[in-house]
Amino acid sequence: METIGIMGAMPEEVEGIIDLMEEVETHEIGKRIYHLGKINKKKCVVVFSRWGKVAASSTASTLIHIFGVTEIWFTGVAGAINDKVKIGDIIIGEKLYQHDMDARPLINQFEIPLLGLDYFTMTDERKLYVFDRIKTAVDNKIFFEAISDETLAEFNIDKVSVHLGSIASGDQFFSTSTQKNNLLSILPGIHCVEMEGSAVAQVCYENDIPFTIIRTISDAADDNSHVDFPIFVQKITKEFTKSMVKALI
Ligand code: ADE
């Protein structure tokens, strides 16, 4: 039977997803609490990934090898790298890079050792399906339903754009424009930066299961990100994540 593993990068996201679940039971393994149950009659295991590539990989492995999930979805926030990407926008990870992977001179910068890949990709079919479902929910204003106008104004969110884009993951929180410009100079096509997505994509790739990585922009990965990030997470992320999962399931 199909079982969807759903990982959230913040406890607030996981709380939102658990609100949608029925028949929930919990199991604790390796400092994580796995929530087993059903959303819209589909079997799901929901868990807080914890932060960074190692934590997320370990959580993804447990989902696959202990709970037998047949695919993994990951929802989280991210810092915008491309100027066209604004706070509140949604990025569906078409290409997932690891910006801190660098085993030169043995192999090229960004190449994942032993896999010969510079990035992981979603299948074309899946990415078009996910884009269509999220875009339809956004166009129907589903994402704004539970967020006050005041909060939307605080972040200058008047519309949400949905992008199929490139995500760079690495074990760094971007809190300066210098970090952002450095990343742009080595990976110019990147839409946003976060700390887990490509690690989860790698674990799924190595275990032959599909992955869906979706990020909402919480900050501009610049000198103000340490201020924007926590407020966005506190005020917006739970409701956005709920809308995301409802749109996809
Ligand atoms: N996730 C959300 N914002 C981020 C940032 N600025 N750097 C890394 N990961 C993030």
Side-chain angles (χ1 to χ4, degrees), residues 77-79 172-175 193-195 215 218-219 221 225 229:
V77 287
Q172 278 171 35
F173 183 80
F174 278 43
S175 59
V193 68
E194 40 86 312
M195 300 176 67
R215 292 282 179 166
S218 57
D219 58 83
S225 59
F229 167 84

Side-chain angles (χ1 to χ4, degrees), residues 12-247:
E12 290 80 353
E13 285 159 336
V14 174
E15 279 166 30
I17 307 170
I18 293 167
D19 282 355
L20 304 173
M21 291 183 99
E22 290 174 333
E23 300 169 36
V24 188
E25 58 178 82
T26 58
H27 292 266
E28 187 172 345
I29 302 176
K31 301 195 195 304
R32 283 108 171 116
I33 301 186
Y34 294 82
H35 303 263
L36 282 66
K38 290 191 176 155
I39 305 177
N40 202 14
K41 302 201 170 62
K42 297 203 176 125
K43 230 176 125 185
C44 297
V45 186
V46 178
V47 60
F48 170 38
S49 63
R50 298 167 82 94
W51 297 339
K53 301 201 309 302
V54 174
S57 308
S58 157
T59 314
S61 294
T62 304
L63 281 172
I64 296 169
H65 298 297
I66 304 288
F67 295 104
V69 305
T70 48
E71 65 178 293
I72 294 183
W73 303 354
F74 191 105
T75 81
V77 287
I81 296 296
N82 183 314
D83 275 351
K84 294 195 185 91
V85 174
K86 306 285 177 222
I87 291 182
D89 282 2
I90 295 172
I91 314 291
I92 298 161
E94 187 174 26
K95 291 184 180 170
L96 283 305
Y97 288 86
Q98 293 176 18
H99 67 75
D100 51 1
M101 177 57 76
D102 190 355
R104 288 177 296 174
L106 305 177
I107 52 176
N108 293 332
Q109 188 175 17
F110 311 121
E111 185 176 327
I112 310 295
L114 308 181
L115 297 183
L117 297 172
D118 288 350
Y119 53 81
F120 300 94
T121 52
M122 280 165 91
T123 62
D124 285 348
E125 191 189 355
R126 179 74 187 155
K127 82 185 172 205
L128 294 177
Y129 172 81
V130 171
F131 183 82
D132 183 58
R133 296 298 288 253
I134 302 285
K135 180 86 175 63
T136 304
V138 166
D139 289 347
N140 292 332
K141 305 262 182 252
I142 306 286
F143 280 76
F144 286 173
E145 265 168 13
I147 317 268
S148 71
D149 289 347
E150 197 190 356
T151 301
L152 292 172
E154 196 179 335
F155 286 97
N156 283 326
I157 303 175
D158 54 3
K159 76 177 187 50
V160 169
S161 299
V162 186
H163 310 259
L164 269 174
S166 297
I167 297 178
S169 312
D171 289 325
Q172 278 171 35
F173 183 80
F174 278 43
S175 59
T176 65
S177 304
T178 310
Q179 282 171 289
K180 177 174 176 149
N181 292 333
N182 286 345
L183 179 60
L184 266 176
S185 70
I186 55 171
L187 279 172
I190 292 298
H191 285 74
C192 67
V193 68
E194 40 86 312
M195 300 176 67
E196 299 85 15
S198 184
V200 173
Q202 180 172 347
V203 174
C204 290
Y205 174 87
E206 291 178 342
N207 286 282
D208 286 320
I209 68 163
F211 58 83
T212 303
I213 315 288
I214 307 182
R215 292 282 179 166
T216 308
I217 301 301
S218 57
D219 58 83
D222 59 10
D223 307 275
N224 213 44
S225 59
H226 66 291
V227 178
D228 292 334
F229 167 84
I231 304 176
F232 188 95
V233 167
Q234 186 204 338
K235 297 192 175 174
I236 299 190
T237 209
K238 182 173 173 181
E239 294 306 329
F240 261 47
T241 308
K242 267 180 158 169
S243 304
M244 198 107 72
V245 173
K246 279 201 255 176

